[in-house]
Amino acid sequence: MSWQTFIVDFFTYGILLYSVALLSSYVFIALYSVGITRDHLRKNTFTDYRILASSDQLPGLSILAPAYNEGNTIIENVRSLLSIHYNNVELVVINDGSKDDCLQKLIEGYNLYKTDHFVNEQLSTKKVRGVYRSHNPVYNKLIVVDKENGGKADALNVGINIASKDYIVCIDVDCILEQDALLKMALPFMEHPGKRVIASGGVVRIVNDCVVKNGKILKINLPESFIPRMQTLEYIRAFLLGRMAWSRMNGLLLISGAFGAFDKEIVIKCGGYNHKTVGEDMELVVRMRRYMEERKEPYKVTYIPDPLCWTEAPNSFQILGRQRNRWTRGTIETLWFHRKMFFNPKYGFLGLVSYPYWFFFEFLAPIIEFVGFIALFFFAIFGLIDWVVFLSLFAFILSFGLLYSMFAIFIEVITYNQYNRTRDIFKLILTAIAEPFIFHPFVVWSAIKGNIDLVQKKNSWGEMTRQGFAKPKTS
Amino acid sequence: MKILIAEDDLLMLKTLEYRLKKDGHEVIVSRDGMEALEKIEEASPDLIITDIMMPYSSGLEIAGAVRQKSSTPIIILSGMGQENVVLEAFKLGVDDYITKPFSPNELIVRVRRFMFANAVR
Amino acid sequence: MGHSLITISIQLPDASSFLSSETHSLIKAVIFLLALMTGLLVYILISLLFKNRRERLRKRLSRITDLLIQRMLFNEDQEFAGNLTSGAGRFLKLKTFRNLLIEELVRAKKNFSGVAANNLQLLYQECDLSNDSYQKLVSRRWYLKAMGIQELAEMGQNKSFDLIFELTNHSNEQVRMEAQNAVVKFSGLTGLNFLDFLTYPLSDWQQIQLINQLGDVDQNASDYIRKWIGSSNNSVVIFSLKLAARYHHFELHDRVALCLTHPSEEVRYHAIKTLKEIFDENTSANLVKLYDAEGLRNQLVILEVLQNIGTEKELPFLEREFTRDQNEIRLAAGRAIARVADMQYLESRSVSTEYPWTEIIQQIKGELRK
C-alpha cells in the first residue's frame, strides 16, 4: 500500500473510531441523565425547605466571596448575599488587594471596624492585612478580609483560613443567588449517611437580559444577543445532561467556581486551592477525590440541577475567547498534575473512567478536530476526498449535534421550563442550528490557542491576577 | 385600620386578606419583600404583618428598614421558630412574633390589640 | 461537553472502498436522525403546549379551591361544610381538581393550627378525598406512595396508621422517610417505635424532620431513648443521643457516658455533644480521660464542651493543650481557659507574650467583648 493510502486510512479509521466512541458517550450521557433528573424533581416536591430553614441543626456554611476591583458593585452584591435565607452562615468577603476603593466602600457601607483576628494559617497564603467586622448587629454575619493581591485561588485560601464553619461555599461575588440556594446546597451534605459528601455543585445559569433589581432576578429572559444565547444553550446542555449523568455515576470532576460547596476539613487536608493553575476550581475537586480514593474512604460529590446561581456571560468574542483559552489551560494543567491517575485501577472509577474521559473527550477533542480540519484541507488539495461520502458524513454529524442540543432543550422544557414561550424555544433551536458554523469553530480555535499558550509557557501566573476571576465552566 | 401583609404563599395571603377584611380592615397585600417595601413606602399602613422567608427581601430586612423610619407595629408570622431568629427579630424592633403553624383566630385577637393601641394614639 | 462533533466530519477521504459502500447507509442514518429530530421538535412543542395549558387550568381551578379553603378555615359552625362542598360537587368529579385540592389542603394545613386546622381536615373528609390518598398509598410508584402517606398523615387519617407503619423500613428512601414522619405525626414518641427494627440508616436530614415532627417533650421519653441508645444501627444511636440532649434527660447521663467508648467515632462525637446538655460533676473528668485517644475533631468538640462545663480541676489539662502544636487546639483551649477561669488568668500564662499566643489571646478577648 502506498504511503498516501496509509495516511488516509489512518485518519479515516482513527477518527472514525474516535467519533463512534464520542457519539456513544453523548448518547449514553443524554439517556442516563434523564432518570436521575426526574427523580430529583420528584424528591424535591417532598422536601419542605422551611423545616430545614427553621432547624437549629443545619450544617454551618462559610460563604467565601473573593473580590477584586469590584468597588462599583460591592455594596449591592454583599447586601444581596446577606439577604439569603440560612440560619447558620457567615459571609467572608475577601478583598484581594483591589486597586480601587472596594475596601473603603465596604468599611463605610457596613460600618466596619478592624478586629484582632488570629489567622490560623492552615494554608499558606499572601499576607492578610486586616480582618473587619461590623458595628451594626444586623451585619454580624459579615466578615471582610483585606489581603495582598494573589489571585483567586490565594484569596479563597485566605477565606478558608478565616472560615469558622464546617463547610465552605465558594462563589463569585457578582453572581446572583436564589433565596433558597444555600438551603438546597446544604441538603446533600445531610442526605448520605455512611458516605462523606466532600463537595456539592450547583447549576450556573446565564443572567444576560433577565430583569434584575436590587440584586434579585425579577424576570427570566432568554438572552437577546447571539453569544450569550449560545452559551445559554451550552449551559443547559452541560448542566442538565452532562453533569447530571456524571453525578449519577459519582464521577463528577468539575464544580463550577461560581457556585460550589466543599467540606472544609478535606479541603484543608488536601492543601486548599492550587494557585499554580488557572483552573483551580476543577483542580480542587480532582485533588479532593484523589485524596479520598487514596485513603479508601467512601465519599460522594453531589450536584443539584435546580437553577440556583445566575451569572453574566461574556458578550464578546474577545472575552469569550479569553475565557475558553483559560478553561483549556486549566483542564490541561489539572490533567497534568494528576497524570498518575490515568487508567490507574488504584483510583477506581476516577482513574478508569472520569479521568480518561476528560483526557480524550475534553482535552483531545478540539485538537483532533483541528488536526482533522487541516488534514481535510490537504486531502482536498490532493484530490483525495470523495465529496459524496464527506458531505453525507458531515450532514450526519451536524444532525447528531443538533439532535443532542434539541434533546437538552426538551429536558429543559419538561423540567425547569424557564424559557417557556414557544418563541424562545424556536430561538434556542435556531441557535443550535447556527452553532456549528459560527460559535463552535471559534470555541475550538480558542482551545487551540490555549494549548499553544501553554506550550509557549506564556501561561497563567502573572496574567492571572489581572484577569480576575474565571467564569464558571461548563463541562 | 390599614394593614399590610407580606407573604409569599398565595393561599395564605388571600386567606389572611379575606379574614382581615371581614374584620373591617383595609388590607394591602404583597407577595414578596420588595413589593412590600414599596407598598409600605407609598401607603404607610398602620400595621405590618410579614413572613420571614420571602423572595427578594426577608421579613427581618423589612422590619429593619421600617424601624429606621417609623414605629409602625410589626407582627412577624413565620415558620422559623429558632431562638436566635426570634431574638434577632425583637432586637430589630418587631412588636410580636407568631410561629407557624398558627391559629388565625389568635392572630385576629393580636391584631385587635394593636387596633386599640392605634385608636388610643 | 465541548461539542466537538463536527470534528469528526473530517474523516472523509474515501480511497478505501469501505466508506463508499457505506455512503448509502450513512445517508439513511442522516434521514433517520432528521426524522428523530422532527419527532422531538413536535414532542417539545406538544409538551410545552400541554404544560402551559395545565398550568392555566390549575390556575383557574385553584381559584375555586382557594375559595373553598378560605371559607372553610373561618367556618365556625361546621354544618356549613356540607353546603360548601355540594357547590363544588361538579368539580370534585375532576381528578385534576381533587388532586389540586388535596395539594392545597396539605400545604395549608402546615400553616394553621387550632380550629382552622380541624376545619381543613373536615373539608378533606367531606369531599371524600381520602380514597384518592389510599389509592396513591398502594401504588407501586414510589413518589405516589410517598405522596399518599404524606396526605393521609397531614390530614390526620389515623386509620391508616398500621398500613403506614409497615412502610417505615421500606427500601425506597423517600417512602421510608414519609412513613416515618407520618407515624411520628400520628402518635408522637410511640410512633418512633420503628427505630426498634430499622435497618436503614437515618440521614441527618431525616433526623431533623423527625425532631421537627416530634415537637414537645414526652415525660416518659427517657425509657424509650435508653432502649434506642443501645441500637446496633449507629444512626439510631446518634438520633437518640440528640433526643436526650434536646429534652435534657439528665437521668440518661450514665447511659450516654457509656457511648464515649463506642467503636464509632461519629457516635462518640455526638455523645460528647450530648453530655454538654446533661452533664454532672464527673463529666468533665471523663471527657479529659477520653481526650488523648481521640482524633482532632472529637478533641475540638471536647474542648468546646469544656468551655461550658469545665471546672478549675481541668485547668492544668487545658493549659497543657493551650501550648500544643496545633493552632485550632490552642484557640479552643484558650477559649475554655478564659471561660473556666477568666481573661486575666489566660493573659498571665507564660506563653502569652509569644507568637502566636498573643494573637490568639487578642482574638479571644475580642470575642468575649461581643
Side-chain angles (χ1 to χ4, degrees):
Chain A
M1 124 182 17
S2 76
W3 63 273
Q4 279 152 318
T5 41
F6 175 76
I7 290 179
V8 169
D9 279 2
F10 177 78
F11 270 99
T12 309
Y13 291 110
I15 291 184
L16 197 70
L17 195 71
Y18 179 83
S19 314
V20 168
L22 185 64
L23 295 198
S24 324
S25 79
Y26 275 58
V27 172
F28 174 76
I29 281 172
L31 297 179
Y32 197 64
S33 65
V34 176
I36 185 84
T37 308
R38 200 186 46 205
D39 279 2
H40 171 85
L41 285 174
R42 283 180 179 146
K43 231 178 91 188
N44 226 356
T45 61
F46 290 100
T47 311
D48 187 347
Y49 287 98
R50 287 192 311 183
I51 294 181
L52 198 58
S54 62
S55 169
D56 49 12
Q57 311 255 334
L58 284 175
L61 304 179
S62 300
I63 307 178
L64 309 184
Y68 180 71
N69 291 348
E70 313 255 0
N72 290 331
T73 51
I74 191 79
I75 295 287
E76 271 310 306
N77 291 338
V78 167
R79 179 151 298 144
S80 147
L81 288 173
L82 281 171
S83 76
I84 285 165
H85 305 311
Y86 200 84
N87 200 13
N88 190 2
V89 69
E90 67 182 6
L91 170 63
V92 184
V93 178
I94 305 121
N95 176 36
D96 189 23
S98 295
K99 294 193 184 73
D100 66 355
D101 54 351
C102 190
L103 180 68
Q104 202 48 41
K105 283 223 166 113
L106 281 169
I107 292 177
E108 283 160 19
Y110 292 97
N111 196 6
L112 302 179
Y113 66 95
K114 199 168 178 175
T115 60
D116 296 306
H117 192 99
F118 166 65
V119 181
N120 181 11
E121 219 181 302
Q122 290 156 293
L123 305 168
S124 68
T125 61
K126 289 269 167 62
K127 200 167 169 289
V128 171
R129 294 190 205 133
V131 177
Y132 298 80
R133 279 178 167 279
S134 175
H135 283 296
N136 188 342
V138 176
Y139 305 126
N140 60 7
K141 289 171 175 172
L142 177 65
I143 301 174
V144 173
V145 189
D146 183 31
K147 69 177 277 284
E148 284 168 9
N149 180 277
K152 189 180 184 188
D154 192 64
L156 286 167
N157 283 342
V158 166
I160 293 166
N161 284 337
I162 300 270
S164 66
K165 310 283 184 184
D166 288 342
Y167 296 92
I168 53 167
V169 178
C170 301
I171 61 156
D172 284 351
V173 76
D174 58 352
C175 59
I176 297 173
L177 295 189
E178 297 278 335
Q179 291 291 95
D180 52 1
L182 292 180
L183 291 168
K184 287 191 167 166
M185 223 31 182
L187 191 58
F189 290 106
M190 304 188 274
E191 277 186 320
H192 301 278
K195 267 189 189 169
R196 184 145 186 179
V197 177
I198 57 169
S200 178
V203 171
V204 175
R205 290 259 175 150
I206 289 172
V207 76
N208 301 40
D209 286 320
C210 292
V211 184
V212 177
K213 196 179 162 194
N214 297 342
K216 303 287 153 66
I217 295 170
L218 294 186
K219 189 169 183 309
I220 296 164
N221 288 322
L222 190 65
E224 283 302 322
S225 43
F226 178 73
I227 298 176
R229 199 193 306 153
M230 194 53 253
Q231 291 169 83
T232 303
L233 178 65
E234 227 185 350
Y235 278 36
I236 291 176
R237 231 162 34 205
F239 284 105
L240 231 43
L241 300 185
R243 298 229 180 145
M244 217 48 210
W246 281 106
S247 87
R248 185 176 180 180
M249 296 181 270
N250 196 14
L252 195 64
L253 282 196
L254 177 60
I255 284 177
S256 106
F259 190 43
F262 304 87
D263 184 320
K264 193 178 77 179
E265 190 188 341
I266 306 288
V267 173
I268 290 174
K269 277 186 178 160
C270 354
Y273 280 97
N274 185 339
H275 54 267
K276 289 200 178 124
T277 168
V278 284
E280 74 285 326
D281 43 2
M282 176 180 181
E283 202 278 333
L284 179 68
V285 180
V286 174
R287 190 145 35 86
M288 286 173 81
R289 279 184 166 275
R290 182 174 170 182
Y291 176 89
M292 297 306 277
E293 292 286 350
E294 281 170 0
R295 267 153 200 77
K296 299 269 167 269
E297 285 178 47
Y299 72 97
K300 215 172 152 53
V301 174
T302 61
Y303 166 75
I304 310 154
D306 305 355
L308 297 179
C309 171
W310 297 78
T311 190
E312 195 84 25
N315 198 2
S316 74
F317 276 115
Q318 195 196 359
I319 300 174
L320 180 74
R322 240 189 283 158
Q323 179 196 48
R324 298 306 156 102
N325 181 318
R326 194 166 57 235
W327 287 2
T328 306
R329 282 180 284 138
T331 303
I332 300 172
E333 283 164 347
T334 305
L335 290 173
W336 176 250
F337 290 156
H338 300 281
R339 58 191 178 276
K340 191 185 164 196
M341 300 197 296
F342 192 50
F343 281 123
N344 188 339
K346 226 182 85 189
Y347 292 94
F349 191 83
L350 178 63
L352 296 178
V353 183
S354 293
Y355 186 104
Y357 180 89
W358 272 80
F359 181 83
F360 286 113
F361 297 140
E362 294 291 333
F363 160 62
L364 275 187
I367 297 178
I368 289 182
E369 196 165 336
F370 188 71
V371 171
F373 184 79
I374 293 182
L376 173 70
F377 183 74
F378 281 105
F379 291 158
I381 290 179
F382 293 117
L384 291 168
I385 291 182
D386 177 338
W387 288 100
V388 178
V389 181
F390 170 72
L391 287 176
S392 49
L393 203 52
F394 191 64
F396 174 78
I397 297 303
L398 283 187
S399 44
F400 182 88
L402 189 55
L403 183 65
Y404 187 73
S405 293
M406 277 180 58
F407 188 75
I409 296 171
F410 171 63
I411 297 295
E412 160 69 19
V413 167
I414 61 166
T415 55
Y416 298 101
N417 200 16
Q418 305 216 312
Y419 309 106
N420 54 9
R421 284 170 304 188
T422 322
R423 192 158 47 105
D424 286 346
I425 299 301
F426 275 113
K427 273 191 196 162
L428 274 175
I429 292 173
L430 282 180
T431 314
I433 295 173
E435 180 183 20
F437 304 102
I438 307 166
F439 188 79
H440 186 72
F442 179 77
V443 169
V444 171
W445 175 237
S446 302
I448 295 299
K449 277 213 302 219
N451 278 279
I452 295 170
D453 285 358
L454 196 71
V455 171
Q456 290 181 343
K457 277 291 164 202
K458 183 183 126 194
N459 52 13
S460 33
W461 332 149
E463 182 188 355
M464 175 177 67
T465 46
R466 249 175 299 115
Q467 263 177 10
F469 306 132
K471 279 288 169 188
K473 170 157 191 184
T474 50
S475 77
Chain B
M1 195 159 63
K2 207 193 284 178
I3 303 177
L4 179 131
I5 315 172
E7 164 71 62
D8 59 338
D9 183 332
L10 191 60
L11 177 64
M12 183 84 166
L13 185 66
K14 280 195 201 159
T15 309
L16 290 175
E17 182 188 11
Y18 168 83
R19 185 63 184 83
L20 288 168
K21 272 189 176 158
K22 222 168 106 183
D23 237 31
H25 299 292
E26 185 188 332
V27 180
I28 306 160
V29 295
S30 43
R31 290 201 63 182
D32 61 63
M34 209 168 340
E35 194 185 339
L37 282 170
E38 281 164 9
K39 287 189 172 167
I40 290 170
E41 191 70 23
E42 79 196 32
S44 45
D46 304 314
L47 171 68
I48 297 163
I49 302 175
T50 176
D51 190 5
I52 290 186
M53 277 183 51
M54 282 183 299
Y56 308 136
S57 284
S58 83
L60 295 179
E61 283 173 68
I62 293 177
V66 169
R67 271 295 162 274
Q68 296 207 324
K69 288 183 201 143
S70 77
S71 60
T72 313
I74 301 170
I75 303 180
I76 299 269
L77 180 58
S78 163
M80 314 251 280
Q82 302 103 308
E83 196 186 8
N84 64 344
V85 179
V86 179
L87 290 183
E88 193 184 339
F90 279 108
K91 229 187 269 173
L92 284 169
V94 309
D95 300 89
D96 207 345
Y97 197 110
I98 302 174
T99 8
K100 291 178 195 166
F102 75 105
S103 145
N105 294 335
E106 187 187 323
L107 176 72
I108 298 303
V109 175
R110 288 182 194 242
V111 168
R112 277 186 199 142
R113 218 179 40 170
F114 286 107
M115 195 166 74
F116 291 133
N118 195 38
V120 171
R121 254 193 299 157
Chain C
M1 245 119 290
H3 220 72
S4 28
L5 291 173
I6 358 175
T7 317
I8 312 141
S9 50
I10 337 311
Q11 28 301 85
L12 31 147
D14 106 319
S16 70
S17 63
F18 166 70
L19 275 183
S20 38
S21 70
E22 295 294 311
T23 312
H24 191 59
S25 46
L26 208 51
I27 292 171
K28 267 194 206 156
V30 172
I31 294 171
F32 172 71
L33 286 183
L34 286 175
L36 216 60
M37 232 179 306
T38 321
L40 194 60
L41 179 65
V42 172
Y43 197 45
I44 291 177
L45 293 178
I46 292 176
S47 309
L48 197 63
L49 196 73
F50 269 90
K51 220 173 160 162
N52 290 346
R53 217 186 181 174
R54 230 186 70 211
E55 229 26 69
R56 277 200 298 274
L57 178 68
R58 272 175 67 100
K59 225 176 212 162
R60 274 217 314 274
L61 291 177
S62 75
R63 255 180 255 149
I64 303 163
T65 57
D66 283 2
L67 209 66
L68 214 56
I69 291 175
Q70 272 169 39
R71 290 284 149 76
M72 203 60 202
L73 270 173
F74 301 109
N75 170 21
E76 259 95 66
D77 61 312
Q78 313 198 324
E79 286 165 35
F80 187 51
N83 299 333
L84 206 64
T85 49
S86 66
R90 194 159 57 90
F91 291 104
L92 280 168
K93 290 201 186 83
L94 270 177
K95 197 164 173 149
T96 323
F97 180 78
R98 285 204 311 276
N99 278 337
L100 186 69
L101 184 58
I102 297 178
E103 197 185 309
E104 302 263 293
L105 278 171
V106 167
R107 205 153 50 96
K109 186 83 189 313
K110 286 182 183 158
N111 283 329
F112 297 107
S113 64
V115 184
N118 290 339
N119 283 346
L120 291 178
Q121 212 163 305
L122 204 70
L123 181 61
Y124 178 82
Q125 275 153 3
E126 283 299 324
C127 298
D128 230 5
L129 296 172
S130 63
N131 276 339
D132 294 67
S133 301
Y134 275 111
Q135 258 171 35
K136 287 179 199 160
L137 182 68
V138 295
S139 165
R140 279 208 260 150
R141 303 202 173 153
W142 65 266
Y143 54 93
L144 288 179
K145 214 178 190 66
M147 204 187 283
I149 299 171
Q150 196 184 42
E151 292 166 6
L152 290 166
E154 204 60 64
M155 288 301 145
Q157 303 298 300
N158 289 321
K159 278 180 286 179
S160 61
F161 182 90
D162 291 342
L163 277 176
I164 294 179
F165 193 83
E166 276 175 33
L167 301 173
T168 50
N169 201 28
H170 194 271
S171 61
N172 180 282
E173 194 189 6
Q174 200 66 47
V175 172
R176 196 163 72 227
M177 278 167 64
E178 290 307 323
Q180 294 169 356
N181 292 339
V183 292
V184 174
K185 192 168 201 83
F186 282 135
S187 53
L189 195 71
T190 48
L192 279 178
N193 272 329
F194 69 84
L195 293 177
D196 292 350
F197 56 82
L198 184 71
T199 51
Y200 294 95
L202 285 176
S203 68
D204 289 347
W205 164 226
Q206 178 59 359
Q207 296 182 23
I208 288 179
Q209 294 201 78
L210 290 175
I211 287 175
N212 175 65
Q213 207 68 263
L214 208 51
D216 287 333
V217 210
D218 203 306
Q219 282 305 321
N220 45 23
S222 67
D223 291 335
Y224 288 95
I225 297 175
R226 187 185 303 277
K227 182 175 64 175
W228 297 322
I229 290 183
S231 169
S232 57
N233 182 338
N234 283 348
S235 66
V236 172
V237 182
I238 290 170
F239 178 61
S240 15
L241 287 170
K242 284 183 191 165
L243 289 181
R246 189 166 198 90
Y247 301 137
H248 297 278
H249 284 299
F250 283 93
E251 64 273 27
L252 289 173
H253 176 272
D254 295 348
R255 184 65 192 84
V256 172
L258 280 180
C259 289
L260 291 177
T261 55
H262 197 280
S264 152
E265 189 182 337
E266 190 69 16
V267 169
R268 293 200 302 276
Y269 174 82
H270 285 279
I272 297 165
K273 278 191 119 173
T274 302
L275 286 173
K276 178 179 151 197
E277 307 299 329
I278 56 170
F279 65 97
D280 69 8
E281 67 280 2
N282 299 321
T283 309
S284 306
N286 270 338
L287 291 180
V288 171
K289 240 183 275 165
L290 182 74
Y291 186 87
D292 285 335
E294 286 293 346
L296 181 65
R297 179 164 178 247
N298 284 359
Q299 291 192 336
L300 283 173
V301 73
I302 290 177
L303 291 172
E304 202 186 300
V305 170
L306 286 180
Q307 267 184 56
N308 291 289
I309 69 167
T311 62
E312 292 187 355
K313 271 188 261 169
E314 280 79 52
L315 277 179
F317 160 76
L318 290 173
E319 282 168 39
R320 186 194 86 190
E321 290 307 296
F322 188 51
T323 53
R324 247 187 56 190
D325 49 354
Q326 267 161 305
N327 283 326
E328 302 101 291
I329 296 276
R330 290 168 179 166
L331 193 62
R335 283 190 185 120
I337 295 173
R339 294 281 286 274
V340 172
D342 57 20
M343 205 58 227
Q344 266 182 340
Y345 184 83
L346 183 63
E347 279 176 297
S348 62
R349 297 303 89 206
S350 56
V351 288
S352 69
T353 50
E354 294 168 29
Y355 177 86
W357 285 277
T358 325
E359 281 77 3
I360 291 177
I361 290 173
Q362 282 307 316
Q363 184 186 334
I364 295 174
K365 231 177 170 175
E367 286 169 2
L368 285 183
R369 227 179 290 134
K370 257 207 300 186

